[in-house]
Amino acid sequence: SARTTITFWRPMNLKNRKGALLIVSGPSGTGKGTIMDEYFKRYSGDNSFLSVSVTTRAPRCGEKEGVNYYYKTREEFEYLIANDGLAEWAEFCGNYYGTPKQPVMDMMSAGKDVILEIEVQGAMKVKKSFKDAACVFVLPPSFEELRRRLIERHTESTEVIDRRIERAKQEVLLIDNYDYILINDNLDAAVEAFRCIVKAEGQKVGKNINIINEVCGL
Ligand code: 5GP
């Protein structure tokens, strides 16, 4: 019964809450990264944690090992897959990307809200194993604007940009599987909306069973 479950969750040495798991997806160039950067700048005291992924893609100019990604060879990546080191992984435009499993589990059990910035295939895999993960999709104001942003970023060749735009159109088809939408036409508004989502997810009953038990003396 529900009461038995509540009693089971009573151990006193556990942290008071479980962290929420948020997945943020959206086409390349849509500004997910900028929204995340600004969110963490504004709300660094919020007890949330951005998972750092592993990838076989080469570092872009200015990117740092352990900050943007952990950069690996295909062999190293395949070793991680084989040894159950990843919570999910996917192939995206010719490279592997994956989420290291242990840090995510550790952060959530320490009561931190964990944010994964990952593409749609990976997001669907995470949703299967973490049913209460909240999925957020970030859209650009238009596809013309998306192309303009990708060109202006000067990080990809025209061929790669074309592939990423094609991919973006496929990704949008999966939007029905998501819970929330952010349209990134105004950075400030998008960051504030994102913060509301994180806060709401963290207030869910299922994340606060220990606090509830304490308050109610169960
Ligand atoms: P980029 O090469 O632009 O950094 O990333 C390409 C795409 O891969 C983006 O949509 C990004 O969100 C996604 N991505 C980054 N890390 C991961 C990951 O660990 N797993 C999955 N499935 N996708 C990721």
Side-chain angles (χ1 to χ4, degrees):
S1 71
R3 183 164 292 275
T4 325
T5 316
I6 287 169
T7 313
F8 174 77
W9 279 109
R10 269 193 83 193
M12 298 311 291
N13 60 349
L14 276 188
K15 272 271 191 173
N16 266 340
R17 69 185 291 267
K18 279 174 78 187
L21 183 61
L22 290 111
I23 298 171
V24 180
S25 305
S28 180
T30 204
K32 311 178 289 266
T34 314
I35 296 173
M36 292 304 110
D37 286 349
E38 188 59 28
Y39 167 77
F40 280 99
K41 212 185 285 167
R42 286 187 198 179
Y43 300 112
S44 57
D46 262 17
N47 207 27
S48 31
F49 165 84
L50 183 67
S51 159
V52 179
S53 296
V54 184
T55 185
T56 59
R57 137 163 116 53
R60 288 184 188 133
C61 188
E63 285 186 348
K64 286 201 183 80
E65 165 77 17
V67 176
N68 303 91
Y69 285 104
Y70 297 103
Y71 301 93
K72 304 282 183 201
T73 62
R74 287 185 86 83
E75 290 69 31
E76 288 167 334
F77 197 100
E78 281 159 6
Y79 179 87
L80 283 173
I81 299 173
N83 289 279
D84 200 28
L86 302 175
E88 63 73 35
W89 64 274
E91 201 155 6
F92 180 93
C93 295
N95 284 298
Y96 284 140
Y97 295 81
T99 304
K101 191 189 267 181
Q102 201 56 48
V104 170
M105 307 306 284
D106 291 348
M107 291 296 161
M108 280 169 69
S109 47
K112 289 185 192 265
D113 300 320
V114 176
I115 298 164
L116 310 181
E117 193 203 308
I118 63 180
E119 53 67 66
V120 291
Q121 300 167 77
M124 295 305 104
K125 288 187 212 162
V126 174
K127 227 185 159 177
K128 271 199 189 126
S129 35
F130 298 86
K131 297 258 184 316
D132 57 355
C135 301
V136 183
F137 201 95
V138 185
L139 275 178
S142 68
F143 276 90
E144 295 79 69
E145 175 63 14
L146 184 66
R147 180 178 290 277
R148 202 187 61 73
R149 289 182 190 177
L150 283 173
I151 293 168
E152 248 177 26
R153 199 161 80 173
H154 296 297
T155 53
E156 268 84 23
S157 63
T158 316
E159 191 216 323
V160 173
I161 289 175
D162 286 343
R163 273 166 71 193
R164 284 182 176 238
I165 298 270
E166 264 323 293
R167 174 79 188 207
K169 292 185 173 160
Q170 291 166 17
E171 290 196 333
V172 170
L173 298 176
L174 285 168
I175 209 157
D176 281 351
N177 297 296
Y178 282 72
D179 305 299
Y180 297 98
I181 177 94
L182 290 179
I183 301 200
N184 192 18
D185 52 357
N186 175 308
L187 179 63
D188 181 61
V191 171
E192 293 309 316
F194 182 65
R195 196 208 186 202
C196 292
I197 297 169
V198 179
K199 282 279 168 200
E201 287 297 318
Q203 294 304 120
K204 286 197 161 160
V205 168
K207 299 292 171 200
N208 296 281
I209 297 290
N210 291 337
I211 290 181
I212 297 166
N213 285 345
E214 217 166 84
V215 170
C216 302
L218 291 172

